[in-house]
Amino acid sequence: METVVGRATSPVGLHRVLEPAGVLPQAAWRLDADPRLREDEVRVRVERLNLDAASYRQLADKHGGDGNAVRAEVLEIIGVRGKMHNPVTGSGGMLVGTVEEVGPASRLGLAAGDRIATLVSLTLTPLAVTDGLARWDGLGEQVPCEGHAVLFGRSIAAHLPPDLSPELALAVMDVCGAPALTHRVVARYVSQGRPPVVTVIGGAGKSGSLALAAARRAGASRTIGVVPVPAERQALVDAGLADAVALADARDPVALADAVRAAGGPGDVTVVCVDVPGCEHGAILATAELGTVVFFSMATSFATAALGAEGLAADVTLMIGNGYAAGHADFALDVLRTSPGARRLFEARVSAHLGAVHPPR
Amino acid sequence: METVVGRATSPVGLHRVLEPAGVLPQAAWRLDADPRLREDEVRVRVERLNLDAASYRQLADKHGGDGNAVRAEVLEIIGVRGKMHNPVTGSGGMLVGTVEEVGPASRLGLAAGDRIATLVSLTLTPLAVTDGLARWDGLGEQVPCEGHAVLFGRSIAAHLPPDLSPELALAVMDVCGAPALTHRVVARYVSQGRPPVVTVIGGAGKSGSLALAAARRAGASRTIGVVPVPAERQALVDAGLADAVALADARDPVALADAVRAAGGPGDVTVVCVDVPGCEHGAILATAELGTVVFFSMATSFATAALGAEGLAADVTLMIGNGYAAGHADFALDVLRTSPGARRLFEARVSAHLGAVHPPR
């Protein structure tokens, strides 16, 4: 296999778009996953895909928990689209692998043999699978996988840290935008002399637990974690990540707002980290006037959020959770290392997934 | 007709939701448009609906410009749903009318006979039409209409100003969230000692022209208006609202970013005011690092924006344009009164719509 040189290339991967023409790779229906590289590209030998939670949940729900059917559909999506881009949720995930070849013009700082995680979404990453996902039972988000992926000239990849297991690091990096942006938003309130009450909806989840730890580190005056079931409430109380833990269905706006108020809210900052549709109105209703709602869930509806705030006459700032911020991976790993509670929650979740991937004999 | 008292009521209208149960009115499939009022409600005799641009465009495109078919579908939507809530775009619009009855517990400050515009979306406003929209030809967004609408305890309505025509005031109020939020975002940059370059995509449109005027008023260092066709370029140049006017298709990310750069960009603040899908990537690519993108278009996809920024490794703040901010209607009217260029653009657009509603004999 050789690097192909001398062909027109684009740092954002326009040359990999097969259809429709002229769009960026994330918007494309189909990408070219040809393993031959342009001058500024990098090819990665894939070890593991980490499907994003909304995507995996949609597939698992659709197939009623039938792992074989989930696996078949993931294979079909990748085969047809040249990327793992769930057409229903519009989301993907990320991957871990080893750098196989680096184009001579690449400036990503990678070398052959480096073990990395990609921090751009699978929805724009050319991907081909060669083992039929034979080692995956379809019952968890982490997918052992053989194949290759391609990184563009302008992309983001992080070396796997030596002190954490790859599974743990991958799970952290997958949601590292949430703690970075939460920290930034909370710190802005603090710098203005008004440390905020911060509510994290889905506080016991991956992005949620890191967001809670980041909010506290940034100087929140109070942190409230909202969870949907008693088992998660107990886990979050045990983790000690929140000053108060509330139990509520985030899809029920009135119940959510009441529960948050009873826990010391409303929040000046509300962070939505649950991957179910229909949480927009509740998040807005549970936020103080002139507050901020940050939506990290890919199940968020733009129109529902915008019109919901208007309909509730709620003067709040609504933010789309950007998955990227400078230094976000290192920041998230540091939050994990320094927050024993978040680490315990993460390790429990990763173990659960590994258990599904490698069922006990 | 009498006010019904003594029944359980909700300031956000939960009692008007017929299905599904337990959601807020905007999320509901079907509302109860019964003209009998609860204690804190207000009934309005409707004169005119103003469909939001994305909704009207979808309907007009679907029916190939057949006005009768558009009218029939609008009637069907209102009849089935009890509100004008386009099921495809998820958007609605607003209305003008005269207050007919005010419940004894209403705190909206309205009295029978007041001429008002509603500033909450039609997607959550109980509505019934009694004239079959007979005076509307289906060829424009402004819909002469007889019927009634209901406002909840917590709602927003503005008195029509005496110095502007109702059509003009309605058109301004329909988009008054855009200038208010643009002003707020730009003012924050200015207060931090860094007056921003502001790009408004769709700068010759209703929300776009007011956003440009608001950005300049807030202290932007440079304003760039982006338009899709030469006629709009000429109109925006003549209006004098922007320091530079660029011609580009906002759905083509690379072309858009190039055009904005050539006009003195990238913008520190990019405001998206075009009602076509697929503008997310271009807006992000045309924004400076650590900049802010504000999406006002109801055609915005949450996942495309979030994953697009991540995929482009763009560290930018992404905001959902909230249609409500305290004082937004008065602010927008004041921007119009003090910006002759914006006023000319608005009056031309309103005339065009009225022309469609009342074709010359």
Side-chain angles (χ1 to χ4, degrees):
Chain A
M1 199 166 292
E2 288 175 60
T3 297
V4 174
V5 296
R7 290 165 63 190
T9 190
S10 146
V12 294
L14 297 174
H15 55 281
R16 290 278 183 175
V17 173
L18 293 179
E19 60 176 303
V23 301
L24 290 167
Q26 200 264 323
W29 173 250
R30 195 159 64 93
L31 297 181
D32 176 7
D34 189 332
R36 292 172 297 175
L37 299 182
R38 303 299 172 93
E39 279 200 293
D40 64 350
E41 292 181 333
V42 170
R43 190 175 58 258
V44 178
R45 197 170 67 246
V46 179
E47 297 172 21
R48 182 181 294 275
L49 308 176
N50 195 17
L51 304 185
D52 94 288
S55 174
Y56 178 74
R57 175 182 298 229
Q58 184 269 328
L59 291 166
D61 285 353
K62 174 179 172 184
H63 295 294
D66 177 347
N68 289 328
V70 171
R71 182 177 56 215
E73 182 160 357
V74 169
L75 270 174
E76 189 192 342
I77 291 171
I78 297 171
V80 168
R81 306 195 69 172
K83 57 178 178 176
M84 181 51 215
H85 187 168
N86 183 321
V88 175
T89 61
S91 58
M94 52 188 303
L95 64 84
V96 155
T98 305
V99 174
E100 202 166 57
E101 185 183 358
V102 177
S106 171
R107 288 183 294 184
L108 296 183
L110 301 176
D114 286 357
R115 208 135 173 264
I116 62 158
T118 62
L119 300 188
V120 292
S121 171
L122 289 179
T123 60
L124 54 93
T125 303
L127 174 68
V129 170
T130 53
D131 70 344
L133 303 179
R135 290 179 294 130
W136 183 45
D137 59 9
L139 297 179
E141 296 161 16
Q142 299 218 11
V143 184
C145 167
E146 283 177 22
H148 71 264
V150 175
L151 303 181
F152 307 132
R154 181 169 163 180
S155 188
I156 324 165
H159 289 98
L160 289 172
D163 61 324
L164 301 172
S165 76
E167 291 77 13
L168 186 59
L170 188 61
V172 171
M173 290 173 177
D174 182 38
V175 295
C176 62
L181 184 52
T182 300
H183 189 274
R184 194 182 280 184
V185 170
V186 172
R188 198 174 66 219
Y189 278 80
V190 171
S191 76
Q192 292 165 351
R194 41 189 188 121
V197 173
V198 179
T199 305
V200 177
I201 302 173
K206 291 193 295 180
S207 56
S209 59
L210 291 181
L212 277 171
R216 183 174 280 175
R217 181 196 282 212
S221 65
R222 180 177 182 81
T223 56
I224 301 169
V226 180
V227 295
V229 293
E232 288 201 10
R233 177 171 59 182
Q234 192 57 50
L236 188 52
V237 167
D238 291 347
L241 286 174
D243 297 320
V245 179
L247 188 67
D249 181 343
R251 296 165 298 185
D252 183 336
V254 178
L256 178 68
D258 287 348
V260 169
R261 197 176 306 114
D268 302 295
V269 176
T270 301
V271 184
V272 181
C273 293
V274 284
D275 288 307
V276 293
C279 301
E280 300 88 352
H281 289 165
I284 292 164
L285 205 59
T287 302
E289 200 69 0
L290 297 178
T292 300
V293 184
V294 190
F295 293 99
F296 280 106
S297 165
M298 283 300 151
T300 304
S301 157
F302 180 91
T304 302
L307 297 176
E310 186 182 317
L312 293 167
D315 189 352
V316 293
T317 298
L318 305 173
M319 293 178 65
I320 298 171
N322 182 349
Y324 177 69
H328 63 339
D330 289 342
F331 179 77
L333 290 168
D334 195 52
V335 168
L336 186 88
R337 289 189 188 99
T338 55
S339 170
R343 184 160 183 165
R344 277 200 305 277
L345 281 176
F346 256 80
E347 286 176 337
R349 282 189 173 260
V350 168
S351 301
H353 285 143
L354 289 180
V357 173
H358 305 297
R361 271 179 278 190
Chain B
M1 199 166 292
E2 288 175 59
T3 296
V4 175
V5 297
R7 290 165 62 189
T9 189
S10 147
V12 296
L14 296 174
H15 54 281
R16 290 278 182 175
V17 173
L18 292 179
E19 60 174 305
V23 302
L24 289 167
Q26 200 264 323
W29 172 251
R30 196 159 64 93
L31 296 181
D32 176 5
D34 189 330
R36 291 172 296 175
L37 300 182
R38 304 298 172 95
E39 279 201 293
D40 63 350
E41 292 181 333
V42 169
R43 189 175 61 255
V44 178
R45 195 171 66 245
V46 180
E47 297 172 21
R48 182 181 295 275
L49 308 177
N50 195 18
L51 304 185
D52 94 289
S55 174
Y56 179 74
R57 176 182 298 230
Q58 185 270 330
L59 292 165
D61 285 353
K62 174 180 174 184
H63 296 292
D66 177 347
N68 290 329
V70 171
R71 183 178 53 214
E73 182 161 356
V74 169
L75 270 175
E76 189 192 343
I77 290 171
I78 297 170
V80 168
R81 304 196 69 173
K83 57 177 178 174
M84 181 51 217
H85 188 169
N86 183 320
V88 176
T89 62
S91 57
M94 53 188 298
L95 64 83
V96 155
T98 304
V99 173
E100 203 166 56
E101 184 184 359
V102 178
S106 171
R107 287 182 295 183
L108 296 182
L110 301 176
D114 286 356
R115 206 133 175 265
I116 62 158
T118 62
L119 300 187
V120 292
S121 172
L122 290 179
T123 60
L124 54 93
T125 303
L127 174 68
V129 170
T130 53
D131 70 343
L133 302 179
R135 289 179 295 132
W136 183 45
D137 60 8
L139 298 178
E141 297 160 16
Q142 299 218 11
V143 184
C145 168
E146 284 178 22
H148 71 263
V150 175
L151 304 182
F152 307 133
R154 181 169 164 181
S155 187
I156 324 166
H159 289 98
L160 289 171
D163 61 324
L164 300 173
S165 77
E167 292 78 13
L168 187 58
L170 187 61
V172 171
M173 290 173 177
D174 183 37
V175 296
C176 63
L181 184 52
T182 300
H183 189 275
R184 194 182 281 185
V185 170
V186 172
R188 198 174 66 219
Y189 278 80
V190 171
S191 74
Q192 292 165 350
R194 40 188 188 123
V197 174
V198 178
T199 305
V200 177
I201 301 174
K206 292 192 294 181
S207 56
S209 58
L210 291 182
L212 276 171
R216 183 174 279 173
R217 181 196 279 214
S221 65
R222 181 178 180 81
T223 56
I224 301 169
V226 180
V227 295
V229 293
E232 287 201 10
R233 177 170 59 182
Q234 193 57 51
L236 188 52
V237 167
D238 292 346
L241 287 174
D243 297 320
V245 179
L247 189 66
D249 181 343
R251 296 165 299 185
D252 183 335
V254 179
L256 177 68
D258 287 349
V260 170
R261 199 176 304 114
D268 302 296
V269 177
T270 301
V271 184
V272 182
C273 293
V274 285
D275 290 307
V276 293
C279 301
E280 300 88 352
H281 289 164
I284 292 163
L285 206 57
T287 302
E289 199 69 0
L290 296 179
T292 301
V293 185
V294 190
F295 294 99
F296 281 106
S297 165
M298 282 301 151
T300 303
S301 156
F302 180 91
T304 302
L307 297 176
E310 185 182 318
L312 294 166
D315 189 352
V316 292
T317 298
L318 305 174
M319 292 177 66
I320 298 171
N322 181 348
Y324 177 68
H328 63 338
D330 289 341
F331 180 77
L333 291 168
D334 194 54
V335 168
L336 186 88
R337 290 190 188 97
T338 55
S339 170
R343 182 158 183 167
R344 278 201 305 278
L345 281 176
F346 255 81
E347 286 176 338
R349 283 189 172 259
V350 169
S351 302
H353 285 143
L354 289 180
V357 174
H358 306 298
R361 270 178 276 191

